[in-house]
């Protein structure tokens, strides 16, 4: 497992796989997937380290060119949104994206399903006051893994919530030529599966359904995702 490697393929020609986690989770959330695909080469990021590496503001170059990244990227929740933002900014040039329980626009608008700005603001205020408690409450509410695990380093930073409010990649998904798989779950209170029906998607975008419900469906579908990565 590597972080921030500088070649897009392994010596044998197989593409590396980049993984980007969601808000309040460390990169260790992907450990079960690494076990299923022990033969693969992974670059594993929490959302914060990915944003710092691949979405640094102009003038704060990381030394990584868009072609230096993995050939395949997979992002869950906020991680998926950040991958879309990096693609829109030409910070990554993948051969394939896999977005799990992610959306091009997190906040609800007229005619667009999503989380209300009031609910987002309440979470942001809680995270600013007490990041650990806010992360634990967030995990309990949406049944996301171990609710009592302390969020590692900056994974519960309010900057991640600001990214959720700012990203709008709907135009990208309507026009992209990059193959993108969007995996959505039924009964997800954070990422409504119906958003895919509210947008004219590019022919390069494929929508698939996870076999488990809820925003935490990923945590019960590692084998399913490992098969897709194969």
């Amino acid at each position: 497992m590597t972080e921030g490697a500088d070649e897009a393929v392994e010596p044998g020609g197989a593409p590396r796989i980049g993984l980007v986690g969601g808000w309040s989770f460390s990169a260790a959330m992907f450990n079960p997937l690494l076990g299923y695909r022990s033969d693969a080469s992974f670059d594993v990021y929490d959302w914060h380290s990915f944003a710092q590496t691949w979405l640094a503001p102009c003038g704060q170059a990381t030394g990584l060119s868009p072609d230096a990244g993995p050939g395949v990227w997979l992002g869950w929740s906020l991680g998926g949104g950040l991958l879309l933002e990096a693609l829109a900014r030409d910070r990554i040039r993948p051969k394939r994206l896999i977005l799990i329980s992610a959306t091009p626009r997190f906040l609800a608008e007229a005619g667009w399903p999503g989380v209300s700005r009031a609910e987002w603001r309440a979470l942001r205020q809680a995270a600013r006051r007490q990041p650990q408690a806010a992360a634990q409450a967030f995990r309990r509410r949406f049944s996301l893994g171990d609710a009592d695990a302390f969020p590692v380093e900056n994974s519960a930073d309010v900057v991640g919530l600001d990214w959720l409010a700012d990203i709008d990649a709907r135009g990208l998904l309507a026009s992209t030529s990059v193959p993108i798989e969007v995996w959505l779950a039924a009964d997800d209170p954070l990422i409504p599966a119906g958003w895919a029906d509210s947008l004219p998607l590019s022919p390069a975008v494929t929508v698939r359904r996870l076999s488990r419900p809820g925003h935490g469906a990923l945590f019960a579908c590692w084998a399913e995702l490992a098969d897709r990565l194969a």
Side-chain angles (χ1 to χ4, degrees), residues 85-128:
E85 183 70 11
L87 180 63
R89 297 188 187 190
D90 195 33
R91 301 296 182 87
I92 59 173
R93 293 174 185 164
K95 296 180 180 178
R96 179 182 173 205
L97 283 185
I98 301 175
L99 311 179
I100 312 296
S101 299
T103 175
R105 180 60 179 161
F106 182 71
L107 294 183
E109 299 175 2
W112 180 258
V115 171
S116 71
R117 185 167 291 273
E119 187 172 359
W120 167 84
R121 188 179 296 112
L123 177 58
R124 191 183 191 283
Q125 290 172 346
R128 179 173 289 281

Side-chain angles (χ1 to χ4, degrees), residues 176-197:
T176 186
S177 61
V178 176
I180 298 177
E181 292 183 26
V182 179
W183 288 72
L184 300 171
D187 301 322
D188 186 336
L190 278 178
I191 309 297
W195 75 252
D197 299 322

